[in-house]
Amino acid sequence: MSSRRYFSQALVAFGMSKQYYSQSAVCQATSTPVADLRKEYSNMGLHEGSLPLDPIELFTQWMDEAKQANVLEPNAMCLSTCASDVPTARVVLLKRFDTRGFVWYTNYGSRKANDLERNPKAAITFWWGDLERQVRIEGVVEKVSAEESDEYFHSRPVGSQIGAWSSTQSQKIASRDELDRQEQQAKTKLSAYTATDQLIPRPLNWGGYRLVPHRIEFWKGRKSRMHDRIVYEKKPTQGNLSAAEW
């Protein structure tokens, strides 16, 4: 009984309806050994001859299809960095992509920012399980312009803008109460802007990064684990990766 109550509370916390889950289904799911959890993928695969020459075109198509399929946060991606000999990874949200690369925003004092300061090479991974698809992207990371960061910052909800002023990301704090106090202090500090509908200035320690890709792999799950992978790679032109063609 206790396991069912806990599961229901978790569903409510994530805004999910618990009416679709019976106690027997929950018990069956939780009792299955991890080694026995598996899904048989479809036989639909990737056919190289039908794919575009530009991987950004294919990524756009796959992203659109993930959105149409109502995949939960289709722009969520695992960002992997490595400052020394210990890689770190976390999920962030893609906020823009084009032929120049893939953009996300964060605190420039965060652990991932410190990693990128020491080693600007990184990888991002998208997993769209409902579509049996994964995209892996590797490249070099650069900061976006201040103008791009300003534009995106001012497109965010006011609460998120205040949040960027409130959190010293990746820094240890005593408790959640301390973070809440920091948020309240930021609200007070910025009240002159919010009360008069003025633009809240972007904190200088917050902004965007762009991963400039040199390798993109598209993965499609296939029956009996005989998966398909198509890889696009850039070959540097006289040492200039950004000018290279796929």
Side-chain angles (χ1 to χ4, degrees):
M1 181 64 71
S2 60
S3 62
R4 187 176 76 170
R5 285 202 301 270
Y6 176 80
F7 195 82
S8 298
Q9 290 166 1
L11 291 173
V12 172
F14 284 95
M16 298 170 63
S17 173
K18 58 188 176 184
Q19 63 184 345
Y20 302 111
Y21 298 86
S22 66
Q23 184 172 2
S24 60
V26 172
C27 292
Q28 182 179 6
T30 56
S31 63
T32 303
V34 172
D36 293 337
L37 293 174
R38 59 176 53 87
K39 176 185 184 300
E40 182 64 280
Y41 294 116
S42 70
N43 208 31
M44 295 177 59
L46 299 175
H47 303 285
E48 187 173 358
S50 64
L51 300 177
L53 296 177
D54 184 351
I56 304 303
E57 182 180 340
L58 181 56
F59 182 86
T60 301
Q61 175 187 326
W62 278 26
M63 174 62 79
D64 287 344
E65 290 171 355
K67 290 187 289 186
Q68 292 165 9
N70 293 320
V71 171
L72 178 64
E73 292 199 294
N75 60 329
M77 60 186 190
C78 178
L79 167 65
S80 301
T81 57
C82 189
S84 54
D85 59 346
V86 180
T88 62
R90 75 290 290 160
V91 176
V92 299
L93 297 179
L94 177 72
K95 288 302 178 181
R96 181 176 183 173
F97 70 93
D98 52 31
T99 56
R100 296 175 297 169
F102 300 79
V103 176
W104 69 93
Y105 292 86
T106 188
N107 187 302
Y108 286 147
S110 64
R111 182 178 181 183
K112 53 186 170 292
N114 291 331
D115 282 357
L116 292 170
E117 186 70 26
R118 297 171 63 184
N119 177 11
K121 297 177 181 178
I124 53 179
T125 304
F126 294 86
W127 168 247
W128 298 312
D130 293 346
L131 300 179
E132 305 175 348
R133 289 173 174 175
Q134 175 181 257
V135 182
R136 298 168 57 196
I137 306 172
E138 300 168 12
V140 176
V141 178
E142 61 187 20
K143 286 183 178 179
V144 306
S145 68
E147 291 75 18
E148 286 182 85
S149 290
D150 286 341
E151 180 183 2
Y152 175 69
F153 181 79
H154 292 129
S155 74
R156 304 176 90 205
V158 171
S160 297
Q161 294 181 40
I162 293 173
W165 279 96
S166 308
S167 173
T168 52
Q169 199 173 115
S170 300
Q171 304 302 310
K172 186 180 293 186
I173 59 175
S175 66
R176 174 70 199 200
D177 289 341
E178 182 178 339
L179 183 61
D180 291 339
R181 284 195 297 272
Q182 292 175 357
E183 181 186 27
Q184 189 55 51
Q185 290 169 358
K187 287 180 178 179
T188 301
K189 177 180 178 180
L190 300 170
S191 60
Y193 296 96
T194 56
T196 56
D197 291 328
Q198 296 182 66
L199 289 178
I200 296 174
R202 174 180 60 88
L204 296 180
N205 66 340
W206 188 97
Y209 285 103
R210 174 180 288 107
L211 184 142
V212 181
H214 60 73
R215 187 181 192 276
I216 303 180
E217 177 190 288
F218 294 87
W219 177 97
K220 172 63 178 66
R222 292 290 298 270
K223 195 172 183 180
S224 300
R225 293 299 188 260
M226 299 294 289
H227 309 311
D228 284 344
R229 293 182 180 183
I230 298 292
V231 175
Y232 293 78
E233 289 187 311
K234 270 188 174 181
K235 301 302 181 184
T237 302
Q238 297 180 344
N240 186 352
L241 185 60
S242 61
E245 295 185 353
W246 295 100

